Amino acid sequence: MKTSTLVAVALMILAAAQTYVTKSSPEPREGTPPVFYRDVLPILQQHCQSCHRTGQIAPMPLVTYDDVRSRANEIAFAVSKRKMPPWFADPRFGHFSNDPSLTQDEIQRIVAWAGADAPAGNLKDAPPPRDWVQGWNISQPDVIVKMPRPVALPAQGDVEYTYEIVPTGFAEDKWVQMSEIRPSARENVHHAVVYIRPPDSKWLRHAPLGTPFTASDMTDEDSHRGAHWTDSDILLVYAPGSSPDLWPAGMAKFVPAGSDLVFQLHYTTHGHAKTDQTSMGIVFAKKPPAQRVITLQLTNDHFLIPPGVDDYRVEAHGTLPNDATLLSFFPHMHLRGKQFDFNIVGANGRIETLLRVNYDFYWQVSYRLAEPRMLKAGTMLQAVALYDNSRNNPHDPDPDASVRWGDQTYDEMMVGFFDVAVRADVDKWKYFIRSDEPAEKP
């Protein structure tokens, strides 16, 4: 979420919370109120501190008693209304390993603690501090790949999609177990994608290395087109609220020796000139895995959302060319996004919903299946997006406008990213060769 938006949300929560706890707090169980060190701190460590610590996305840390005590009422209000931790998956569909939601017992514990005037308890009862890596939500990176030159961002106006190509210098093939993207101007980064460009790829071969550029900077037709479209494999997608990649043992993403990483960034402006120099942390697998993770997507870029419509449907679908293990989802829309479904369509037309997201543009969360799902070749996956282009949508920049696909936030997008695991010797090209097709790279 943009920092300014987070602060605004925090202030609204604080205002609404002023009288909430005293009116709504349940009586402490068995006459003994919960205390911070024994009862509340473990919840914060498990569910909140990944964002609420110094240097992370949240506007304030929730690490020490002093951090939390002054915000007890607003925290109680936010968790009781399930506004925090942010999670937008409809609980009727699917189970996800990265679900940070609190149990009802944890919510009641926090509310009762705040209602009892937030007692500290005994410091000796505190759990050990979480062993966070400074600046990261993954293990200490083996390699940090940083854009060589910062991008200058204007105070106002649109910013064209910006690219920066960074040679990895990898002398041997690498398997990536964990990765995380860290913008330096987080509030200005609408989203970022890091692509893998193998040494034999022709994509953007005439583009400069180590310096920012846009499609408008490209004078040759191939590079201009390449700055708008690619089928290169994705290492990681970042948006406000999204999680780093943490692949299970035996699974990893593959970066061939001599590859470049291509940073694609969509920037927005917020009234102040800034610079951004995005970095990516990478942790390598200890040994070659049995399965390779590849990122696929369902996209529909041919739609027209009429003005005033509050439930406009856009669909994309496709069949898997070969067997795969389904791991996770990442839906992407803009300010009119309302709901996003990932479905399996059976041979009889029966719909099985794997994930339904009540979409929030400011918290674009990834969803990792608690139990990976084996899918056979020929399985049809469907993505369905609903848009609210009406005055009922407080984020709609212009409910009187017809809306098409476009790069800027006042335009719209419809992309359903999903990660699958395949055999380690199968790359993205091979995966899309069906058994009845010749085995050669197109």
Side-chain angles (χ1 to χ4, degrees):
M1 183 185 285
K2 296 179 294 187
T3 301
S4 58
T5 306
L6 272 165
V7 172
V9 169
L11 291 173
M12 287 189 292
I13 290 173
L14 177 60
Q18 296 303 315
T19 60
Y20 173 79
V21 172
T22 55
K23 292 182 177 180
S24 306
S25 299
E27 288 297 319
R29 289 170 294 177
E30 300 179 0
T32 303
V35 295
F36 177 77
Y37 290 114
R38 183 190 64 214
D39 302 304
V40 174
L41 181 57
I43 301 172
L44 301 177
Q45 286 185 348
Q46 182 178 353
H47 296 276
C48 308
Q49 288 181 5
S50 60
C51 293
H52 286 274
R53 67 183 204 274
T54 301
Q56 295 301 314
I57 192 171
M60 65 283 198
L62 298 178
V63 176
T64 69
Y65 178 69
D66 288 340
D67 291 338
V68 181
R69 170 67 186 87
S70 62
R71 298 184 171 92
N73 284 5
E74 75 180 271
I75 293 168
F77 177 82
V79 301
S80 66
K81 299 299 183 183
R82 295 194 178 274
K83 295 180 180 293
M84 288 286 159
W87 185 252
F88 307 101
D90 188 320
R92 296 175 296 172
F93 306 102
H95 299 281
F96 303 93
S97 62
N98 62 326
D99 183 352
S101 303
L102 304 187
T103 66
Q104 192 58 40
D105 178 73
E106 289 170 327
I107 291 171
Q108 290 174 347
R109 208 180 312 167
I110 291 174
V111 172
W113 170 73
D117 201 26
N122 192 332
L123 178 59
K124 294 181 179 179
D125 293 331
R130 285 287 298 268
D131 186 20
W132 301 105
V133 176
Q134 182 66 33
W136 300 95
N137 280 309
I138 58 175
S139 302
Q140 182 63 49
D142 295 315
V143 170
I144 297 174
V145 180
K146 186 175 185 178
M147 297 195 316
R149 290 186 59 183
V151 178
L153 303 173
Q156 297 177 333
D158 296 339
V159 180
E160 196 173 353
Y161 272 34
T162 304
Y163 291 81
E164 197 157 336
I165 302 173
V166 186
T168 63
F170 294 163
E172 57 186 18
D173 295 342
K174 296 291 187 181
W175 289 97
V176 176
Q177 191 82 56
M178 305 179 191
S179 59
E180 182 177 357
I181 294 172
R182 302 279 300 182
S184 65
R186 187 184 284 119
E187 65 275 16
N188 293 85
V189 177
H190 168 273
H191 75 260
V193 184
V194 175
Y195 294 94
I196 302 165
R197 187 174 76 169
D200 61 348
S201 172
K202 297 179 180 179
W203 178 46
L204 293 175
R205 274 300 162 194
H206 299 294
L209 295 178
T211 188
F213 65 90
T214 68
S216 296
D217 298 323
M218 299 294 97
T219 56
D220 66 286
E221 184 178 344
D222 285 346
S223 296
H224 185 83
R225 184 172 56 251
H228 289 288
W229 181 88
T230 183
D231 54 10
S232 292
D233 202 4
I234 293 171
L235 184 52
L236 184 60
V237 179
Y238 163 89
S242 61
S243 303
D245 275 352
L246 308 167
W247 301 117
M251 297 181 184
K253 288 202 166 184
F254 182 68
V255 181
S259 291
D260 301 321
L261 296 184
V262 181
F263 287 68
Q264 179 205 71
L265 293 116
H266 176 190
Y267 291 112
T268 57
T269 57
H270 300 292
H272 301 280
K274 297 289 287 292
T275 60
D276 175 70
Q277 196 167 9
T278 291
S279 301
M280 180 178 216
I282 295 174
V283 176
F284 299 126
K286 304 305 180 189
K287 60 181 181 179
Q291 292 184 288
R292 175 175 180 166
V293 179
I294 55 177
T295 298
L296 309 176
Q297 63 191 67
L298 292 167
T299 301
N300 184 335
D301 59 1
H302 298 287
F303 56 80
L304 178 64
I305 306 173
V309 176
D310 65 359
D311 211 30
Y312 189 79
R313 186 180 188 274
V314 177
E315 176 190 339
H317 62 270
T319 58
L320 296 180
N322 289 287
D323 296 352
T325 302
L326 182 62
L327 302 175
S328 58
F329 308 100
F330 182 77
H332 180 67
M333 299 188 283
H334 288 176
L335 289 164
R336 296 169 176 87
K338 178 178 179 180
Q339 179 180 297
F340 202 106
D341 290 5
F342 285 90
N343 304 320
I344 290 176
V345 182
N348 59 358
R350 179 178 174 272
I351 302 293
E352 178 188 357
T353 299
L354 305 176
L355 168 68
R356 172 167 295 168
V357 175
N358 299 308
Y359 193 76
D360 187 321
F361 173 78
Y362 296 107
W363 283 105
Q364 297 185 47
V365 179
S366 51
Y367 301 86
R368 305 194 182 282
L369 289 170
E371 295 292 335
R373 175 80 174 262
M374 285 295 302
L375 299 178
K376 301 297 290 183
T379 299
M380 178 177 286
L381 289 177
Q382 178 195 55
V384 178
L386 298 181
Y387 297 87
D388 184 352
N389 189 26
S390 76
R391 299 188 186 281
N392 298 327
N393 178 358
H395 306 298
D396 194 329
D398 185 0
D400 295 322
S402 297
V403 185
R404 300 179 185 271
W405 173 282
D407 291 347
Q408 302 302 326
T409 55
Y410 50 75
D411 302 313
E412 267 304 336
M413 286 191 172
M414 190 280 189
V415 187
F417 295 99
F418 59 101
D419 297 304
V420 298
V422 297
R423 293 197 325 266
D425 63 340
V426 174
D427 63 14
K428 193 171 181 179
W429 290 105
K430 291 178 182 176
Y431 180 72
F432 278 98
I433 299 173
R434 301 177 188 271
S435 58
D436 56 350
E437 295 179 356
E440 63 181 56
K441 187 172 178 177

